[in-house]
Amino acid sequence: IYGRVHKQITTLPCADIIRKSIAHLYSLSVKTVDEAIVLSNAYAPKHIIAHLENAAKVISLIDNAGSVFVGPYSPESFGNYASGTNHTSPTYGYARMYSGVNTNGFLKHITSQECTAEGMNNLADTVMRLAEIEGLDAHRNAVRVADIRK
């Protein structure tokens, strides 16, 4: 792997910058694809390049990644420029909690809640106490007004 990386560096105009970055490179070797997936899911990388035989079968095992490039004909560059995703993906392990920018980010979603009388009975005291602790008296009073247990 290191030999291939160094070979590519020599062909790039920014080779000096890359050499400084390479000094901080860290790589791991694993024995199986399953081990790699466990490690990757824990690390939550910005990108995974799944250049494997039957790569499509492995994708369902990946839980944490900004974007996954599947198979030998899906270089990361396609995701950056042409294949429909983009290169705005979570870094520093944030793929455990967040997705990359995609078309869903431009859709409108509305949440709604409906509580039953039993739910009101079970939640009222807790919600009023939390609102009191936060100093949000109007929230506390909204529960008092609706409280069916009077």
Side-chain angles (χ1 to χ4, degrees):
I1 291 174
Y2 286 112
R4 288 184 176 207
V5 169
H6 286 289
K7 184 177 178 181
Q8 284 192 23
I9 290 171
T10 61
T11 66
L12 298 171
C14 56
D16 290 338
I17 295 170
I18 296 172
R19 280 191 186 94
K20 289 176 184 174
S21 296
I22 292 289
H24 303 283
L25 177 69
Y26 185 78
S27 67
L28 297 169
S29 293
V30 294
K31 293 179 182 176
T32 67
V33 172
D34 289 336
E35 272 186 271
I37 290 170
V38 168
L39 178 66
S40 181
N41 280 332
Y43 182 69
K46 179 179 180 182
H47 296 133
I48 294 176
I49 300 169
H51 190 152
L52 306 164
E53 289 183 27
N54 300 315
K57 291 182 181 179
V58 174
I59 301 311
S60 64
L61 303 173
I62 297 171
D63 296 322
N64 299 317
S67 192
V68 181
F69 300 90
V70 184
Y73 306 112
S74 306
E76 180 185 327
S77 306
F78 279 18
N80 286 352
Y81 303 115
S83 63
T85 58
N86 64 55
H87 60 281
T88 307
S89 299
T91 57
Y92 298 110
Y94 281 99
R96 283 187 295 277
M97 298 152 286
Y98 300 104
S99 303
V101 174
N102 61 63
T103 54
N104 286 331
F106 299 96
L107 299 176
K108 181 179 175 184
H109 300 277
I110 299 172
T111 62
S112 63
Q113 303 83 49
E114 181 179 6
C115 197
T116 63
E118 181 183 5
M120 167 62 86
N121 188 49
N122 292 336
L123 293 175
D125 291 335
T126 301
V127 170
M128 286 190 292
R129 179 66 181 131
L130 289 170
E132 181 183 344
I133 290 167
E134 291 188 334
L136 300 174
D137 296 335
H139 283 324
R140 185 188 67 225
N141 291 343
V143 175
R144 281 188 180 150
V145 167
D147 194 347
I148 57 169
R149 301 169 302 162
K150 300 176 186 174

